[in-house]
């Protein structure tokens, strides 16, 4: 008795994904079918997506500012709203910028900024070994170096006072709100990439406490936060002796804090 073959037509896959709750089932089906090497891989990938794995973990990459960023299982998936942070950084970066991507995850921010600029010295760091392994596959081809460790600790001491752009997409979800996140994030991304402590700003406070000694005189620190946390985030920045301003992007629903040293040229 023969076993009937599974229906791997586009319409059948779209139907399965739609039944699983995938809002953009047609687009997702196209991405999965393009990524699958054969029928067996296609079946496995469709099933993984249908049971709730993030699409980026299923296909192995995320689209970010027109780039294909490799993303491994459990590694934080770069959000489209974070493209606003990279855009702001590109506007502020000097020629031959020294860039550090702190809490780098897949390395998407640093890689995207390097792609937007010329002649960048790129460094990235993350405390999560899985993220570091993933980031190296993205950052190394872009000419950068990835370090494993807690915040600034693994960075070369020679970077102190030289960093032109410090990207620090710190986790900013309050601990008690982790369980309220969509299942794709809550169940499939590393908690260390999401948990910002009691009020969501604990990691940020640690970053801004050290940022000034790493920034060049005209260097900038950029990080993302939520709209409701923006005032407290600014207070954390100014409390650490830095100046801060807020940039927003309504289309991307993004809130970016831009901080500079208080002794930066032009500081009042």
């Amino acid at each position: 008795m023969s076993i009937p073959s599974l229906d791997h037509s586009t319409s059948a896959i779209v139907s399965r994904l739609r039944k699983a709750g995938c809002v953009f089932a047609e687009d997702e089906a196209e991405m999965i079918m393009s990524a699958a090497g054969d029928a067996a891989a296609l079946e496995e990938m469709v099933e993984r997506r249908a049971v709730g794995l993030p699409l980026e973990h299923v296909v192995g990459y995320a689209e970010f500012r027109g780039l294909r960023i490799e993303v491994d299982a459990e590694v934080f998936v770069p959000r489209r709203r974070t493209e606003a942070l990279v855009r702001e950084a590109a506007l502020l970066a000097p020629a031959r910028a020294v860039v550090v991507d702190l809490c780098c995850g897949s390395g998407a921010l640093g890689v995207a900024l390097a792609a937007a600029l010329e002649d960048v010295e790129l460094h990235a760091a993350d405390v999560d070994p899985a993220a570091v392994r993933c980031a190296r596959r993205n950052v190394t081809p872009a000419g950068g170096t990835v370090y494993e460790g807690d915040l600034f600790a693994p960075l070369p001491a020679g970077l102190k006072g030289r960093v032109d752009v410090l990207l620090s997409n710190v986790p900013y979800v309050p601990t008690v709100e982790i369980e309220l996140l969509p299942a794709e994030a809550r169940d499939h991304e590393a908690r260390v990439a999401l948990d910002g402590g009691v009020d969501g700003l604990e990691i940020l406070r640690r970053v801004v406490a050290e940022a000034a000694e790493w920034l060049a005189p005209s260097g900038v620190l950029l990080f993302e936060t939520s709209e409701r946390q923006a005032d407290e985030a600014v207070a954390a920045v100014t409390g650490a002796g830095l100046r801060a301003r807020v940039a927003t992007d309504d289309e991307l629903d993004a809130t970016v804090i831009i901080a500079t040293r208080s002794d930066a040229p032009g500081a009042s």
Side-chain angles (χ1 to χ4, degrees):
M1 175 176 160
S2 62
I3 300 174
S5 60
L6 295 170
D7 188 350
H8 288 150
S9 67
T10 302
S11 59
I13 292 172
V14 168
S15 178
R16 288 173 65 184
L17 294 176
R18 188 174 289 122
K19 287 178 181 178
C22 300
V23 177
F24 303 104
E26 291 84 357
D27 294 337
E28 295 194 10
E30 182 178 347
M31 287 180 65
I32 291 172
M33 294 178 77
S34 296
D38 52 39
L42 177 59
E43 173 61 26
E44 179 183 2
M45 293 169 75
V46 172
E47 180 60 24
R48 292 176 70 210
R49 180 58 181 143
V51 299
L53 269 72
L55 175 65
E56 295 81 3
H57 288 169
V58 171
V59 299
Y61 69 90
E63 295 285 350
F64 188 77
R65 278 185 61 92
L67 302 174
R68 181 171 289 195
I69 304 295
E70 293 191 30
V71 181
D72 293 339
E74 298 187 5
V75 173
F76 184 81
V77 175
R79 293 358 184 206
R80 183 166 179 262
R81 65 173 174 268
T82 310
E83 293 183 359
L85 187 155
V86 177
R87 185 187 66 233
E88 293 292 335
L91 293 172
L92 296 168
R96 296 182 294 278
V98 176
V99 175
V100 170
D101 184 357
L102 209 59
C103 303
C104 70
S106 64
L109 276 66
V111 170
L113 182 57
L117 304 174
E118 294 183 5
D119 196 16
V120 168
E121 180 183 333
L122 176 61
H123 303 266
D126 202 287
V127 71
D128 181 8
V132 169
R133 289 193 296 271
C134 181
R136 284 180 175 147
R137 300 205 310 277
N138 293 309
V139 173
T140 302
T145 305
V146 184
Y147 311 89
E148 181 181 333
D150 186 35
L151 298 182
F152 297 98
L155 295 177
L159 284 174
K160 287 188 176 182
R162 295 184 54 234
V163 179
D164 296 304
V165 181
L166 175 56
L167 307 170
S168 188
N169 197 22
V170 297
Y172 56 86
V173 181
T175 303
V176 296
E177 296 182 16
I178 296 290
E179 297 308 315
L180 304 179
L181 292 174
E184 290 185 10
R186 182 185 68 237
D187 297 338
H188 300 291
E189 293 179 327
R191 192 179 181 95
V192 70
L194 303 171
D195 193 344
V198 174
D199 65 352
L201 300 176
E202 291 185 5
I203 311 302
L204 170 63
R205 292 190 184 94
R206 293 180 56 208
V207 170
V208 298
E210 294 188 54
E213 64 181 292
W214 292 87
L215 289 174
S218 297
V220 290
L221 160 67
L222 301 97
F223 62 90
E224 181 180 283
T225 191
S226 67
E227 182 179 3
R228 66 183 174 86
Q229 291 170 305
D231 289 344
E232 291 184 59
V234 167
V237 170
T238 57
L242 302 171
R243 294 181 299 151
R245 66 180 177 90
V246 181
T248 59
D249 185 312
D250 293 336
E251 181 182 349
L252 295 178
D253 190 26
T255 301
V256 177
I257 310 297
I258 302 169
T260 55
R261 284 171 38 168
S262 57
D263 61 347
S268 56

